[in-house]
Amino acid sequence: MKYFAILRGINVGGKRKIPMADLREKLQNIGCQNIQTYIQSGNIIFNRKKENDLILADRLEKFILSTYGFEVPVIIRNAEEIKKSVSENPFFKDEVTAERLHLSFLKKTPDPENIQKAKNASYEPDAFEVVDKNVFVYCTGKYSDSKLTNKFFENKLKVPATTRNWKTVLKLLEFAEEE
């Protein structure tokens, strides 16, 4: 089965460095095959026998801790989930809109009451929609200026999150469509 491991907070500002070539090589030791990475921010595509997402994420988090000496949150999606995420984005209309879009991947589906708490918070002029294990984000300006950060969603939804811009999400879709 094709999986995507989306790592949070690596290779940013010289901290928590993980060389992608080294990671690709070492992942073979834990049963991953056909390993590819996309950019240095921690997007790993690989094949592996079918496994529960949360168990696989936990296994990869422990592997990274034991190999590199620091904790890295890992969120798992399979190819079908990546395809579904792109098709479900309520904000994706055209290329101009795409520049304003981000996808926050959640480790699991948040409780409905936490979703409501997040919607009640002040985050304008930006917008978001939670769909299953995804938060679709529309920013009117730069993402770095938005209140809709990983920390915002983690605090409100009580679920680990990591965010990618829409260009990266569309590249992950290309990998998902490869057979």
Side-chain angles (χ1 to χ4, degrees):
M1 174 167 250
K2 185 178 278 191
Y3 285 104
F4 295 76
I6 305 160
L7 283 55
R8 175 159 177 208
I10 65 161
N11 300 333
V12 179
K15 296 181 181 174
R16 297 179 358 144
K17 293 187 97 165
I18 298 178
M20 292 295 105
D22 184 62
L23 181 62
R24 284 191 302 269
E25 182 181 315
K26 290 179 177 169
L27 284 173
Q28 293 178 17
N29 298 332
I30 61 167
C32 298
Q33 302 168 336
N34 304 321
I35 305 158
Q36 298 174 278
T37 55
Y38 175 67
I39 63 178
Q40 295 297 311
S41 61
N43 304 290
I44 307 161
I45 304 97
F46 59 94
N47 291 88
R48 184 179 167 85
K49 65 179 179 165
K50 188 173 176 145
E51 189 168 5
N52 174 283
D53 291 359
L54 294 174
I55 293 171
L56 180 55
D58 185 58
R59 185 183 314 271
L60 290 174
E61 287 172 357
K62 287 177 181 173
F63 169 77
I64 290 169
L65 177 61
S66 68
T67 304
Y68 298 100
F70 48 84
E71 291 183 2
V72 173
V74 176
I75 295 175
I76 298 292
R77 294 291 190 272
N78 63 46
E80 291 309 310
E81 289 173 313
I82 294 291
K83 293 174 190 176
K84 186 177 178 191
S85 296
V86 171
S87 71
E88 289 182 337
N89 189 330
F91 302 114
F92 186 48
K93 308 260 187 288
D94 54 42
E95 291 303 316
V96 175
T97 306
E99 294 174 11
R100 304 276 183 223
L101 301 180
H102 296 80
L103 176 54
S104 294
F105 295 94
L106 303 175
K107 196 155 204 165
K108 63 180 187 170
T109 303
D111 293 333
E113 55 272 9
N114 291 335
I115 295 171
Q116 192 55 51
K117 286 178 190 174
K119 288 186 175 197
N120 291 339
S122 175
Y123 51 83
E124 293 180 357
D126 301 329
F128 73 90
E129 287 293 327
V130 178
V131 179
D132 297 321
K133 299 186 295 184
N134 298 308
V135 181
F136 298 99
V137 178
Y138 176 83
C139 295
T140 57
K142 294 180 181 177
Y143 178 75
S144 60
D145 295 335
S146 177
K147 295 176 185 175
L148 299 177
T149 64
N150 291 326
K151 193 157 208 65
F152 172 88
F153 292 119
E154 288 177 336
N155 287 338
K156 298 294 181 188
L157 300 175
K158 308 295 185 210
V159 177
T162 189
T163 302
R164 298 297 187 266
N165 65 41
W166 199 244
K167 179 180 176 183
T168 298
V169 172
L170 292 178
K171 187 64 179 176
L172 295 179
L173 174 65
E174 288 179 26
F175 285 110
E177 291 175 334
E178 293 175 358
E179 292 303 325

